[in-house]
Structures are given as C-alpha cells and as structure tokens.
Amino acid sequence: MPTVLVTGGCGFIGSNFVRHLLATDPGASVVNLDALTYAGNLANLADLTGHPRYTFVKGDITNRDDVRGAMRRGVTDVINFAAESHVDRSIQDSGPFVRTNVIGTQVLLDAAREFKVAKYVQVSTDEVYGSLGATGLFTEETPLHPNSPYSASKAAADLLVMAYQHTFGLHAVVTRCSNNYGPYQFPEKLIPLFVTRLLNDEKVPVYGDGQQVRDWIHVLDHCRGIEAAWRKGASGEVYNFGGKCELTNLALTKTLLAALGKSESLIEYVKDRPGHDRRYAIDCAKAERELGWAPQETFAAGLRDTIAWYQANTAWVGAIKNKEYLAYYEKQYGTH
Ligand code: NAD
Ligand code: DAU
C-alpha cells in the first residue's frame, strides 16, 4: 500500500495527478506537500477535503524540516512536481527557480535517502533538451541544452537526481514531457491565458511571429505517464512523454479563436520572448515500448473539454485574476 509524497500537488499537473491516483488506485494514499506559491491553489483539490487517503501539508521543499515532517507521515515514495514552472517569470527573476527547482530537489533527494523511500520520480520537462530545427524529435539520448533559466534549473535538478541514483543507489526515474493543457492550469500559460481573455473579448498576445512549435499533450495523459514511470520505470532511466500534436502558436491561437467564435482581430503580435525556443517535439517510443503507455486523448476532444472547463469555472478564474496576477500581467505585456 504506497503512501506517495506528491510535492506541488496544488498546482496544475500535481492536482490532476493526485485526483487521478486516488480515483484509480484504492490502495494508494497521498501526502501533498505544497508551499502555496502564486501557482498553488487549494481550490484545485477542494473536492478532496476530508478524503480518508489524502493529507495536505503546507510546506516548502527547500526547507528540510518541512520535508522531514511530511516524510514522517508514512511516506513510501516521492513524486516531485513542485517547481517554479513559467519560462517568462524565470527571465524576469531566476532566483526562485534555482531555489525551488535545484535546492528543493536536493533537499528532497536527501530526505528520500534518509527515509529510505522505495522510489523517487522527478517530473521534468522536454525544455531541458533545448530547441529543435524544422525536423527531428527529442529522444532520451538528446544532449541537454537548456536555453532559459527555467529549463537550466530543471536540467540541473535532473542531473542531481541521476547523481543520487548512481552514487547512493536511490531508485530514481526522470520524466520529460511536452506542453500540457487541461483543467486547473494557471492562466499565465498560453492556452488558459488566451481562452480566459478571449471569453472577455480581450486581445491575446502572440510572441514574435507566432511560428514557434509546441507539442501539446492532455494533462491526464501526462499523469498516466508519470504513474507508469513510477510503477514500471527502471531506476536510472529517463522517459519522454508527448502528445504527438505539433502546432505553431499562431495555428493554435486561430484554433482557439474559431472554437470561441472570435475574430482574428483579437490577435496582438507582441515583442518576442528573449531566447525563445523555436520548436519542441517528442519521440515517446521508449515510454510506449517499456511502460506500455500511449497518449489517449485527441487534441480536438481534449481542447473542447478544456475550453468548456474554463467557461464553466469562471469563479476559479476570477479568484486567480486578482491584484497580484494583474500586476504580473501588466509587467509582462504592458497595458492593453
Ligand atoms: P505549477 O506552476 O502549476 O505548479 C507548481 C506547484 O508547485 C504549485 O502548487 C506551487 O505552490 C508548488 N511549489 C512551488 N514552489 C514550491 C516549493 N518551494 N515548495 C513546495 N511547493 C512549491 O506547475 P505545473 O505546470 O503543474 O508543473 C508541475 C511540474 O511539471 C513542474 O516540475 C514542471 O517543471 C513540470 N512540467 C510542466 C509542464 C507543463 O506544460 N506545465 C510540462 C512538463 C513538465
Ligand atoms: O514544454 C514543456 C514546458 O511547457 C513546461 O516545462 C513549462 O513548465 C510550461 O510552462 C511550458 O513552457 P512554454 O514556455 O512552452 O509554455 P507557455 O504556455 O508559456 O508558452 C507556450 C508557447 O506560446 C511559447 O512558444 C510561448 C508562446 N506564448 C506564450 C504566452 C504565455 C505566446 O506567444 N504568448 C503568451 O502570452
């Protein structure tokens, strides 16, 4: 009967994972350790209040006492989602990224050793591989070439995980996934930002020429992949996950406009992101072969449901788009 320490369980992917695991494995318990940063939201798991196999602990993964306190709740396995996750914020200030993503991972790894956990999973990103040209895919053998402070901090964490696996024999796997979409995503990321703005007839800021390519995967497909890597992954291995759905940002924006019946005049081309990676695309053959995993959601159905979720959850969106959020948005894009 595993008791899984999920860090960052109040964020987008972590909250979807916690709900998925508790719903599909009646033997699993979850301890969710989350610092409740701007991206952490208790409302994301409000439906689990009082659940007998779910415990929330407010705490910071960079704080050894917080982590030890959570581990003492009978934790058998660790899955680390906690991170500063937004590239644009890492360009404004990389400090929190190094602190949480690198130091936080080190603290968790030390605790995983101290408490002799069975398995440690590091939730990483395809961004550690850098940027692709017009062709080719990222495989697990692609050399690390992170280009943003965010991806550099994630790559550093991945290397620490592998070093602990090699040096101390910790059972550890690293997962690297492409761009997720789905319910509960903080509206600073492209899809929820654009959907929530378009619903109010507000303009959407497309960076540069909009020809950057991302590979979109539904968050539940990612969650199923993380679960498979935890249960079946071999120690010391990396597993890539992707949605086999490459789209330019402009094509995606036009799809969102069409789905919402809005005019293309709402597109606003803004200054490009500094160091903007041109293309990400994932080869997930290893996960398919070794973990028996494959993406199940189609982009058309997943996007339709996601848009419907944001339309239905205006109170969730409204509570996030507070003064702090609006100040961030203005700093990022100016006033429009
Ligand atoms: P998110 O920003 O929505 O959530 C991050 C969560 O971590 C929040 O709940 C926040 O409160 C918590 N957190 C931050 N710092 C913490 C700290 N010091 N201690 C404890 N908790 C802390 O992020 P997300 O999009 O859900 O991403 C989750 C993980 O998946 C990250 O590691 C990210 O790098 C990775 N990832 C994300 C994507 C994506 O498309 N969103 C794709 C691949 C990998
Ligand atoms: O690839 C996985 C990564 O995907 C994760 O590791 C990150 O945590 C996650 O944030 C995401 O990173 P991106 O930078 O790709 O996501 P974002 O939603 O910020 O941007 C997607 C693309 O859209 C990117 O090319 C930048 C562009 N963009 C983004 C925003 C927010 C715009 O054109 N305008 C915008 O306003």
Side-chain angles (χ1 to χ4, degrees):
M1 295 295 187
T3 296
V4 183
L5 178 68
V6 170
T7 65
C10 293
F12 164 47
I13 304 172
S15 61
N16 277 283
F17 181 83
V18 170
R19 190 176 292 101
H20 161 78
L21 185 64
L22 291 176
T24 55
D25 181 352
S29 299
V30 169
V31 176
N32 170 13
L33 176 68
D34 198 298
L36 298 181
T37 69
Y38 79 93
N41 188 348
L42 283 175
N44 293 1
L45 288 175
D47 52 318
L48 294 183
T49 306
H51 190 292
R53 292 181 283 118
Y54 173 69
T55 308
F56 171 68
V57 178
K58 185 175 184 307
D60 190 321
I61 62 164
T62 68
N63 181 314
R64 282 178 193 278
D65 293 335
D66 287 357
V67 172
R68 284 193 180 123
M71 295 293 290
R72 286 194 192 99
R73 293 170 182 261
V75 166
T76 57
D77 298 79
V78 176
I79 306 184
N80 180 25
F81 294 83
E84 288 293 335
S85 68
H86 193 41
V87 174
D88 292 325
R89 288 182 189 257
S90 82
I91 294 166
Q92 286 180 7
D93 180 5
S94 61
F97 288 74
V98 174
R99 187 176 156 273
T100 287
N101 301 0
V102 185
I103 310 285
T105 298
Q106 182 232 332
V107 170
L108 282 174
L109 288 166
D110 283 342
R113 287 187 61 215
E114 183 184 340
F115 287 83
K116 300 185 173 40
V117 301
K119 294 178 181 177
Y120 178 98
V121 179
Q122 179 74 4
V123 180
S124 186
T125 168
D126 62 352
E127 299 203 10
V128 297
Y129 297 124
S131 187
L132 289 164
T135 58
L137 299 171
F138 293 135
T139 74
E140 290 79 359
E141 308 306 320
T142 302
L144 300 185
H145 195 301
N147 287 320
S148 72
Y150 162 67
S151 54
S153 67
K154 293 295 288 184
D158 290 7
L159 294 176
L160 271 175
V161 173
M162 287 312 182
Y164 273 61
Q165 190 274 337
H166 180 82
T167 305
F168 304 114
L170 179 71
H171 181 113
V173 302
V174 172
T175 65
R176 294 185 180 139
C177 190
S178 62
N179 286 61
N180 287 219
Y181 69 95
Y184 301 101
Q185 186 167 29
F186 193 86
E188 65 188 349
K189 309 283 166 62
L190 188 143
I191 288 181
L193 176 68
F194 284 19
V195 169
T196 56
R197 287 185 67 79
L198 290 174
L199 286 171
N200 291 332
D201 290 314
E202 292 166 333
K203 291 199 168 202
V204 290
V206 170
Y207 295 168
D209 61 6
Q211 292 308 311
Q212 304 81 9
V213 173
R214 295 293 182 266
D215 173 355
W216 293 94
I217 182 172
H218 192 275
V219 63
L220 282 180
D221 277 329
H222 185 195
C223 291
R224 286 187 275 263
I226 293 165
E227 183 188 5
W230 166 53
R231 294 195 194 276
K232 303 184 207 163
S235 185
E237 294 296 320
V238 174
Y239 298 95
N240 286 351
F241 300 112
K244 301 183 183 180
C245 177
E246 287 186 53
L247 283 172
T248 64
N249 293 336
L250 192 57
L252 173 57
T253 304
K254 289 184 176 174
T255 302
L256 296 173
L257 287 162
L260 291 163
K262 302 292 178 182
S263 155
E264 291 190 8
S265 63
L266 288 175
I267 295 177
E268 179 161 33
Y269 291 94
V270 299
K271 206 161 127 295
D272 207 353
R273 170 186 281 173
H276 198 169
D277 285 336
R278 198 69 179 165
R279 176 170 168 260
Y280 304 145
I282 283 277
D283 178 345
C284 47
K286 180 178 174 185
E288 291 179 326
R289 201 172 53 242
E290 297 184 14
L291 303 177
W293 171 91
Q296 294 175 20
E297 305 279 343
T298 65
F299 188 67
L303 191 65
R304 183 197 60 215
D305 293 351
T306 300
I307 291 173
W309 189 88
Y310 286 97
Q311 280 172 316
N313 287 276
T314 48
W316 182 91
V317 176
I320 287 175
K321 292 200 174 187
N322 52 20
K323 249 168 104 180
E324 185 194 356
Y325 174 95
L326 294 173
Y328 162 76
Y329 189 85
E330 194 170 313
K331 194 169 168 203
Q332 179 66 20
Y333 305 100
T335 40
H336 35 217

